[in-house]
Amino acid sequence: MFSSSFRKYLFICKTRIIRSFTYRFDVFGNILMQTIVMVTTAFFWKALFQDETFRNGITADNMMTYTIMSSVLSVLFTTGVERRIQESVEKGSIAIDLMRPVNVFGMFFAEDLGNLIALLFQNLLPILLLGSLLIKVPTIVSVSAIPMFAVSVILSMAINWLTAAIFGMWAFTAISMDALFQVKKHLIRLLSGSIIPIWFFPKWLAGILNALPFVYIYQLPLDIYIGSASNEEIQGRMLIQLIWVLILAALFYLFSKKSLKKVLVQGG
Amino acid sequence: MKKVHFCLAHHLRVTMYTIKMALLTIIEYPSNILGWLISNPIQFLLGFATIKFAVEQFGEINGWDYGQLAFLYGISVISHALSMIFFVQGWFMGYYVIDGAFDRFLTRPMSVLYQFFFTNINIFGFTDLIPGILVFLYGCVQTDFAFTVSNVLGIIVMLTGAVLIRGGIYILLGSTSFWTKSANDFGQFTQEIFDKTTMYPLSMYPEAMQLILTFLIPIGWVSFYPASELLGMKTLCSSGGMGVWITLAAGIATMLAAGLVFQTGLKKYESAGN
């Protein structure tokens, strides 16, 4: 029983991988764009830091690593679930999605996973390579930080996907979501430490952000990677990260039951 | 003379009608307007706030303090907003070519270029204008910018030029679809590049890149050179006190080139069959 339903999701995952390799221009375009963003951000930090050291011992060199790894992580945090829901509702094909003999969110997750596997080769590796060539080789602060980094990235991915899915559930009832998606995108971009680490923010603002889930998407794994916080601090924050995963998972479970009852089906 | 007058009045009337239509279309989805009204200001105000926080820690970046950066950032966002209002369709030209949407323009008794530019007024662009003006005014206060007649004239000339440069580049990129026949969406791509090169001082990039963005692609003239001149900042290439006028000239030249490429490309247009 378990293996047969697992195989369904695996198949969905596989079709996505195959599909991803058919759009070649998108691939090159994305790599080029992400590289430009990465390199220009690196120049921004170089110009800002000059030869100075920030109060937590961070130098321009650390910021180069931060920038490259942030771009790399952003590939892992690519999700299609919100758009997927919106498009299905817009076209009315959500009715067919719901009739399929799989859990609809399980299907969206499998699709995202398939896309992600393709992106590892199409985006993550090229960006890591280009970053190493054009900026510097982004080395981790110490070998002992690797397991912690890996665990926190997985938790980050969970927070990221759950946030996207919960957010996407709105699309079941509201058709036009473009602006809302933009709001979410910018909030995550600017308040998660993906572009500018939150240690630069005023204390009060950093305090508020530390209570929100966003910083546990980018900032925490990146802090672990460049070693900008003590071990005790990291462990404390990883605990909060785990708590956020659990809270979001609970919310996801709750909302997914409710939202499916209110699905708006249009067209015919 | 009478004929020219009639022609102008006719074009003006058509433009007014399309603006009215654009307004009516967006009123159809009120929640959408509200969404953009929140989303776009958040993007740019938060964007500037984060830069300010980072720069404040060090005092300045390449000799620019955050007041001057606000001035530059504001100009960049205002010119972006205006270009969104008038020229955003350049981003979607690929879809027009693929869908055969130019058929509609070609069969009407007006120039295709005129119709394409002026019958697609994007009212949502105004939501970008608000944060742009706010950050710009903040920068003006921080830098004690004097609103003298020549400065105000300078800003108007500069913004006109900047919008023409941006619009010209959108259309040049979009026109490639006539040849490639594919719906490449350059929107996000161009926005990222313009953001990175016009919101921050160009002087933080390597000299080779600065030279390219000064002489080859006139992006440096969108905000960096004219703003430097208005604020009295040093730049790699001196604009000799003519910065805002060079921006205008560069804008007109880019737009003329874009128009030419558009017209040439249009001859390659072969509609979409169905």
Side-chain angles (χ1 to χ4, degrees):
Chain A
M1 178 63 202
F2 173 78
S3 81
S4 84
S5 76
F6 183 70
R7 219 174 303 144
K8 285 179 206 155
Y9 294 113
L10 206 67
F11 187 76
I12 296 171
C13 198
K14 203 177 93 188
T15 54
R16 281 285 148 160
I17 299 176
I18 295 166
R19 226 181 82 155
S20 298
F21 282 99
T22 48
Y23 295 101
R24 210 165 304 156
F25 178 82
D26 285 2
V27 175
F28 291 125
N30 277 332
I31 294 173
L32 187 65
M33 193 166 85
Q34 279 161 309
T35 308
I36 287 172
V37 172
M38 179 169 71
V39 172
T40 48
T41 311
F43 280 122
F44 175 78
W45 295 121
K46 255 187 196 155
L48 191 65
F49 271 73
Q50 311 282 0
D51 295 320
E52 286 178 63
T53 303
F54 193 59
R55 55 168 184 263
N56 55 357
I58 292 303
T59 59
D61 195 57
N62 293 132
M63 286 314 295
M64 302 295 111
T65 306
Y66 191 100
T67 306
I68 298 170
M69 289 316 289
S70 174
S71 306
V72 167
L73 286 182
S74 76
V75 178
L76 294 181
F77 300 149
T78 315
T79 52
V81 57
E82 312 128 278
R83 289 241 163 259
R84 179 71 172 75
I85 297 177
Q86 189 207 12
E87 277 171 15
S88 291
V89 173
E90 223 169 55
K91 286 184 194 152
S93 62
I94 188 76
I96 297 157
D97 288 336
L98 289 171
M99 271 189 270
R100 293 201 170 112
V102 285
N103 178 297
V104 69
F105 284 103
M107 179 177 79
F108 295 151
F109 183 74
E111 286 177 356
D112 274 352
L113 202 65
N115 280 334
L116 184 64
I117 292 168
L119 281 176
L120 289 182
F121 300 98
Q122 291 179 330
N123 260 7
L124 194 142
L125 281 178
I127 285 173
L128 197 58
L129 210 70
L130 283 167
S132 306
L133 280 173
L134 298 172
I135 306 171
K136 64 161 279 204
V137 180
T139 43
I140 193 162
V141 61
S142 68
V143 182
S144 60
I146 294 175
M148 264 208 294
F149 176 71
V151 172
S152 93
V153 167
I154 291 170
L155 292 177
S156 296
M157 287 166 75
I159 293 184
N160 185 57
W161 195 83
L162 288 169
T163 325
I166 292 172
F167 204 79
M169 286 176 202
W170 275 3
F172 281 128
T173 44
I175 303 179
S176 186
M177 294 283 290
D178 285 344
L180 279 171
F181 287 158
Q182 292 293 322
V183 172
K184 178 188 165 263
K185 190 178 110 189
H186 297 309
L187 283 179
I188 290 191
R189 243 166 83 110
L190 297 164
L191 303 180
S192 68
S194 81
I195 302 175
I196 295 187
I198 62 157
W199 356 285
F200 286 124
F201 291 10
K203 275 245 155 56
W204 60 271
L205 187 60
I208 297 174
L209 291 179
N210 274 325
L212 296 175
F214 304 125
V215 288
Y216 301 98
I217 301 178
Y218 280 92
Q219 185 78 64
L220 180 59
L222 289 171
D223 273 345
I224 297 172
Y225 199 90
I226 65 166
S228 58
S230 67
N231 258 349
E232 294 86 69
E233 196 195 324
I234 294 291
Q235 276 156 15
R237 282 163 66 191
M238 279 179 80
L239 192 69
I240 307 179
Q241 191 185 29
L242 183 65
I243 293 172
W244 267 117
V245 174
L246 297 176
I247 294 176
L248 290 169
L251 287 176
F252 169 76
Y253 182 75
L254 211 76
F255 290 157
S256 63
K257 295 264 165 217
K258 266 195 172 162
S259 68
L260 286 179
K261 285 188 189 137
K262 286 195 228 162
V263 175
L264 185 88
V265 178
Q266 58 175 7
Chain B
M1 192 63 211
K2 203 173 169 194
K3 205 176 165 194
V4 173
H5 176 75
F6 171 77
C7 185
L8 262 177
H10 178 59
H11 279 78
L12 211 65
R13 215 167 48 235
V14 172
T15 307
M16 291 313 286
Y17 260 109
T18 55
I19 292 176
K20 207 170 122 190
M21 264 157 58
L23 274 169
L24 285 175
T25 342
I26 66 159
I27 290 169
E28 186 86 28
Y29 300 101
S31 67
N32 218 359
I33 308 176
L34 193 71
W36 290 116
L37 215 53
I38 299 168
S39 138
N40 282 332
I42 280 186
Q43 174 189 359
F44 293 114
L45 293 177
L46 269 182
F48 176 70
T50 51
I51 295 173
K52 176 176 179 282
F53 295 147
V55 173
E56 257 178 336
Q57 304 285 346
F58 293 86
E60 53 163 53
I61 180 163
N62 274 35
W64 291 64
D65 64 28
Y66 69 83
Q68 291 158 331
L69 282 174
F71 188 88
L72 183 70
Y73 191 96
I75 289 169
S76 168
V77 177
I78 294 174
S79 65
H80 162 76
L82 293 172
S83 75
M84 282 297 96
I85 296 171
F86 296 109
F87 301 118
V88 73
Q89 57 274 34
W91 285 9
F92 310 118
M93 274 177 70
Y95 300 108
Y96 279 83
V97 172
I98 292 291
D99 289 347
F102 279 110
D103 291 8
R104 212 154 42 98
F105 297 136
L106 281 162
T107 49
R108 288 180 192 154
M110 263 180 156
S111 139
V112 177
L113 202 60
Y114 164 81
Q115 289 184 61
F116 186 64
F117 288 165
F118 292 100
T119 61
N120 290 295
I121 305 287
N122 170 29
I123 308 281
F124 287 127
F126 283 101
T127 57
D128 287 328
L129 208 52
I130 302 161
I133 291 172
L134 286 178
V135 176
F136 177 70
L137 288 178
Y138 175 80
C140 289
V141 173
Q142 291 289 328
T143 53
D144 292 323
F145 185 73
F147 280 97
T148 57
V149 176
S150 75
N151 273 351
V152 172
L153 181 74
I155 290 172
I156 294 171
V157 172
M158 163 180 68
L159 284 176
T160 315
V163 174
L164 291 176
I165 294 175
R166 278 179 186 266
I169 292 177
Y170 300 164
I171 290 154
L172 274 173
L173 279 176
S175 296
T176 56
S177 299
F178 284 127
W179 285 274
T180 61
K181 310 256 187 273
S182 75
N184 301 336
D185 185 346
F186 291 105
Q188 223 199 339
F189 184 65
T190 36
Q191 165 131 33
E192 289 285 1
I193 292 181
F194 270 106
D195 279 3
K196 294 286 176 188
T197 48
T198 60
M199 285 177 173
Y200 311 110
L202 205 61
S203 49
M204 67 186 204
Y205 296 118
E207 277 186 17
M209 195 171 149
Q210 288 186 48
L211 290 175
I212 291 174
L213 294 178
T214 306
F215 296 108
L216 216 57
I217 310 167
I219 288 182
W221 298 99
V222 171
S223 65
F224 176 67
Y225 287 109
S228 302
E229 189 185 290
L230 289 169
L231 293 172
M233 306 293 293
K234 274 212 179 70
T235 54
L236 181 68
C237 310
S238 166
S239 49
M242 296 293 287
V244 296
W245 297 103
I246 300 178
T247 296
L248 186 63
I252 294 171
T254 315
M255 215 19 121
L256 283 177
L260 209 68
V261 172
F262 181 95
Q263 292 290 17
T264 320
L266 196 62
K267 291 193 189 112
K268 291 258 169 200
Y269 174 73
E270 48 194 10
S271 185
N274 63 359

